[in-house]
Amino acid sequence: MAASVSSTQPQTLKRTVLGARRASNIFWASVLTLGGLGFALAGASSYLKTNLLPFSDPTQLVFIPQGIAMGFYGVAALGLATYLWVVIGLDVGGGYNSFDKSSNRLSIVRSGFWGENRRIEIEHPLEDVTAVRVAIKEGLNPRRTLYLRIKGRSDIPLTRVGQPIPLADLENQGAELARFLQVPLEGL
Protein backbone atom coordinates (compact mmCIF):
# COMPACT_ATOMS: atom_id res chain seq x y z
CA MET A 1 0.00 0.00 0.00
CA ALA A 2 1.42 3.37 -1.05
CA ALA A 3 1.51 6.24 1.39
CA SER A 4 -0.07 9.45 0.21
CA VAL A 5 1.99 12.58 0.57
CA SER A 6 0.12 15.72 1.48
CA SER A 7 1.53 18.98 0.24
CA THR A 8 1.66 21.69 2.88
CA GLN A 9 3.11 24.22 0.46
CA PRO A 10 0.85 27.15 -0.35
CA GLN A 11 -0.60 27.15 -3.85
CA THR A 12 -0.68 30.95 -4.20
CA LEU A 13 1.90 33.66 -3.58
CA LYS A 14 0.73 37.26 -3.79
CA ARG A 15 2.82 40.37 -3.14
CA THR A 16 1.56 43.94 -3.19
CA VAL A 17 3.71 46.59 -4.84
CA LEU A 18 3.79 50.10 -3.44
CA GLY A 19 3.04 52.73 -6.06
CA ALA A 20 3.05 56.51 -5.92
CA ARG A 21 1.21 56.69 -2.58
CA ARG A 22 4.42 56.87 -0.61
CA ALA A 23 5.08 59.23 2.30
CA SER A 24 7.98 60.86 0.42
CA ASN A 25 5.76 61.73 -2.57
CA ILE A 26 3.06 63.16 -0.31
CA PHE A 27 5.70 65.18 1.56
CA TRP A 28 7.18 66.66 -1.64
CA ALA A 29 3.76 67.36 -3.16
CA SER A 30 2.81 69.24 0.02
CA VAL A 31 6.07 71.22 0.06
CA LEU A 32 5.69 72.13 -3.63
CA THR A 33 2.06 73.16 -3.10
CA LEU A 34 2.84 75.42 -0.15
CA GLY A 35 6.01 76.86 -1.69
CA GLY A 36 4.41 77.37 -5.09
CA LEU A 37 1.40 79.06 -3.52
CA GLY A 38 3.69 81.36 -1.54
CA PHE A 39 5.74 82.33 -4.60
CA ALA A 40 2.64 82.82 -6.77
CA LEU A 41 1.00 85.01 -4.11
CA ALA A 42 4.21 87.02 -3.72
CA GLY A 43 4.30 87.64 -7.47
CA ALA A 44 0.61 88.61 -7.49
CA SER A 45 1.12 90.88 -4.47
CA SER A 46 3.97 92.60 -6.28
CA TYR A 47 1.76 93.22 -9.33
CA LEU A 48 -1.40 94.26 -7.46
CA LYS A 49 0.46 96.26 -4.78
CA THR A 50 -1.81 94.54 -2.24
CA ASN A 51 -0.39 92.25 0.40
CA LEU A 52 -1.78 88.72 -0.11
CA LEU A 53 0.63 87.03 2.30
CA PRO A 54 0.11 87.23 6.08
CA PHE A 55 3.78 86.64 7.01
CA SER A 56 5.56 88.94 4.56
CA ASP A 57 5.09 92.14 2.59
CA PRO A 58 5.96 91.47 -1.06
CA THR A 59 4.32 94.73 -2.19
CA GLN A 60 7.77 96.31 -1.90
CA LEU A 61 9.10 94.11 -4.71
CA VAL A 62 9.43 95.62 -8.16
CA PHE A 63 7.13 93.60 -10.43
CA ILE A 64 9.67 93.40 -13.26
CA PRO A 65 11.96 91.44 -12.75
CA GLN A 66 11.44 90.25 -9.15
CA GLY A 67 7.66 89.84 -9.00
CA ILE A 68 7.39 88.20 -12.39
CA ALA A 69 10.20 85.76 -11.54
CA MET A 70 8.51 84.82 -8.26
CA GLY A 71 5.21 84.38 -10.06
CA PHE A 72 6.87 82.15 -12.67
CA TYR A 73 8.48 79.99 -9.99
CA GLY A 74 5.16 79.78 -8.16
CA VAL A 75 3.25 78.67 -11.26
CA ALA A 76 5.96 76.13 -12.14
CA ALA A 77 5.91 74.68 -8.61
CA LEU A 78 2.10 74.51 -8.57
CA GLY A 79 2.15 72.74 -11.95
CA LEU A 80 4.60 70.15 -10.66
CA ALA A 81 2.62 69.77 -7.43
CA THR A 82 -0.57 69.20 -9.43
CA TYR A 83 1.16 66.48 -11.43
CA LEU A 84 2.39 64.82 -8.22
CA TRP A 85 -1.07 64.96 -6.61
CA VAL A 86 -2.64 63.37 -9.71
CA VAL A 87 -0.01 60.60 -9.72
CA ILE A 88 -0.57 60.03 -5.99
CA GLY A 89 -4.35 60.02 -6.45
CA LEU A 90 -4.16 57.42 -9.24
CA ASP A 91 -1.47 55.45 -7.32
CA VAL A 92 0.54 55.02 -10.50
CA GLY A 93 2.81 51.98 -10.26
CA GLY A 94 0.85 50.36 -7.44
CA GLY A 95 -0.51 46.86 -7.82
CA TYR A 96 0.39 43.27 -7.10
CA ASN A 97 2.28 40.20 -8.31
CA SER A 98 0.31 36.96 -8.04
CA PHE A 99 1.60 33.44 -8.67
CA ASP A 100 -1.04 30.68 -8.58
CA LYS A 101 0.06 27.05 -8.91
CA SER A 102 -3.51 25.72 -8.93
CA SER A 103 -4.40 27.67 -12.10
CA ASN A 104 -0.77 27.57 -13.36
CA ARG A 105 -0.83 31.35 -14.02
CA LEU A 106 1.14 34.38 -12.98
CA SER A 107 -0.46 37.83 -12.97
CA ILE A 108 1.38 41.11 -12.71
CA VAL A 109 -0.99 44.05 -12.29
CA ARG A 110 -0.07 47.75 -12.04
CA SER A 111 -2.00 51.03 -12.09
CA GLY A 112 -1.22 53.48 -14.85
CA PHE A 113 -2.65 56.83 -15.91
CA TRP A 114 -6.29 57.18 -16.91
CA GLY A 115 -7.63 56.06 -20.25
CA GLU A 116 -7.63 52.64 -21.78
CA ASN A 117 -4.23 51.84 -20.26
CA ARG A 118 -5.30 52.65 -16.69
CA ARG A 119 -4.72 49.09 -15.55
CA ILE A 120 -1.68 47.22 -16.84
CA GLU A 121 -1.96 43.43 -16.66
CA ILE A 122 0.54 40.76 -17.68
CA GLU A 123 -0.47 37.10 -17.50
CA HIS A 124 1.61 34.04 -18.36
CA PRO A 125 1.66 30.34 -17.62
CA LEU A 126 4.03 29.46 -14.78
CA GLU A 127 5.98 27.02 -16.95
CA ASP A 128 7.21 29.97 -19.08
CA VAL A 129 9.16 31.36 -16.10
CA THR A 130 12.85 30.49 -16.51
CA ALA A 131 14.42 32.34 -13.54
CA VAL A 132 14.17 35.04 -10.92
CA ARG A 133 16.91 37.65 -11.33
CA VAL A 134 18.25 40.10 -8.75
CA ALA A 135 19.81 43.28 -10.13
CA ILE A 136 21.83 45.48 -7.78
CA LYS A 137 23.37 48.79 -8.81
CA GLU A 138 25.02 50.86 -6.09
CA GLY A 139 26.32 54.40 -6.35
CA LEU A 140 24.74 57.83 -6.65
CA ASN A 141 21.42 56.45 -7.92
CA PRO A 142 21.20 52.96 -6.39
CA ARG A 143 18.78 50.38 -7.77
CA ARG A 144 17.82 47.08 -6.23
CA THR A 145 15.29 45.30 -8.38
CA LEU A 146 13.82 41.82 -8.66
CA TYR A 147 13.06 40.65 -12.21
CA LEU A 148 11.15 37.71 -13.61
CA ARG A 149 12.65 35.98 -16.64
CA ILE A 150 10.01 34.63 -19.01
CA LYS A 151 10.56 32.76 -22.28
CA GLY A 152 10.21 35.04 -25.28
CA ARG A 153 9.93 38.28 -23.25
CA SER A 154 12.25 40.81 -21.78
CA ASP A 155 12.72 40.68 -18.00
CA ILE A 156 9.71 41.97 -16.04
CA PRO A 157 10.42 44.07 -12.90
CA LEU A 158 8.59 42.89 -9.79
CA THR A 159 9.64 45.45 -7.17
CA ARG A 160 8.59 49.05 -6.65
CA VAL A 161 10.19 51.99 -8.40
CA GLY A 162 11.87 54.72 -6.40
CA GLN A 163 13.43 54.16 -3.02
CA PRO A 164 15.53 50.96 -3.12
CA ILE A 165 14.45 48.19 -0.77
CA PRO A 166 16.99 46.87 1.73
CA LEU A 167 19.38 44.27 0.34
CA ALA A 168 18.36 41.59 2.86
CA ASP A 169 14.67 42.02 1.98
CA LEU A 170 15.46 41.85 -1.74
CA GLU A 171 17.46 38.63 -1.30
CA ASN A 172 14.74 37.07 0.88
CA GLN A 173 11.96 37.97 -1.57
CA GLY A 174 13.99 36.65 -4.51
CA ALA A 175 14.86 33.39 -2.75
CA GLU A 176 11.24 32.87 -1.60
CA LEU A 177 9.88 33.45 -5.10
CA ALA A 178 12.51 31.22 -6.75
CA ARG A 179 11.71 28.44 -4.24
CA PHE A 180 7.98 28.83 -4.81
CA LEU A 181 8.32 28.74 -8.60
CA GLN A 182 11.12 26.11 -8.46
CA VAL A 183 13.38 28.12 -10.78
CA PRO A 184 16.96 29.33 -10.31
CA LEU A 185 17.82 32.63 -8.61
CA GLU A 186 20.28 34.65 -10.70
CA GLY A 187 22.39 37.68 -9.93
CA LEU A 188 23.62 36.97 -6.40
Side-chain angles (χ1 to χ4, degrees):
M1 187 164 138
S4 65
V5 177
S6 67
S7 175
T8 59
Q9 268 192 339
Q11 293 295 306
T12 304
L13 180 66
K14 188 172 183 177
R15 297 269 181 241
T16 59
V17 176
L18 185 64
R21 288 189 186 147
R22 294 193 305 259
S24 62
N25 284 350
I26 293 170
F27 170 77
W28 287 114
S30 301
V31 167
L32 281 169
T33 300
L34 293 173
L37 194 58
F39 271 82
L41 288 175
S45 294
S46 168
Y47 179 73
L48 299 172
K49 297 295 182 202
T50 303
N51 189 6
L52 301 174
L53 290 172
F55 53 84
S56 174
D57 186 18
T59 58
Q60 304 302 317
L61 296 174
V62 179
F63 180 67
I64 296 185
Q66 296 156 330
I68 202 163
M70 292 188 83
F72 172 77
Y73 290 140
V75 169
L78 288 173
L80 187 56
T82 302
Y83 168 77
L84 271 174
W85 285 118
V86 167
V87 167
I88 290 167
L90 295 174
D91 195 25
V92 173
Y96 63 88
N97 306 321
S98 176
F99 306 92
D100 189 357
K101 286 184 177 179
S102 61
S103 67
N104 196 33
R105 303 290 295 171
L106 72 89
S107 298
I108 298 171
V109 178
R110 298 290 187 275
S111 297
F113 284 100
W114 51 78
E116 65 185 58
N117 295 330
R118 170 75 175 109
R119 188 174 164 109
I120 302 160
E121 295 183 37
I122 299 172
E123 288 196 6
H124 275 283
L126 287 179
E127 64 258 5
D128 286 354
V129 177
T130 59
V132 175
R133 183 172 70 88
V134 176
I136 300 169
K137 179 187 163 228
E138 298 297 338
L140 187 59
N141 187 20
R143 277 192 214 144
R144 297 180 189 137
T145 311
L146 204 57
Y147 290 95
L148 198 61
R149 288 219 162 146
I150 297 179
K151 292 178 198 168
R153 281 194 73 123
S154 58
D155 293 355
I156 300 173
L158 298 177
T159 50
R160 68 181 186 231
V161 177
Q163 181 181 10
I165 60 178
L167 192 55
D169 290 347
L170 182 72
E171 290 172 350
N172 289 338
Q173 287 179 17
E176 179 186 15
L177 182 58
R179 246 188 330 271
F180 181 80
L181 296 174
Q182 298 172 345
V183 295
L185 178 63
E186 299 176 349
L188 286 179

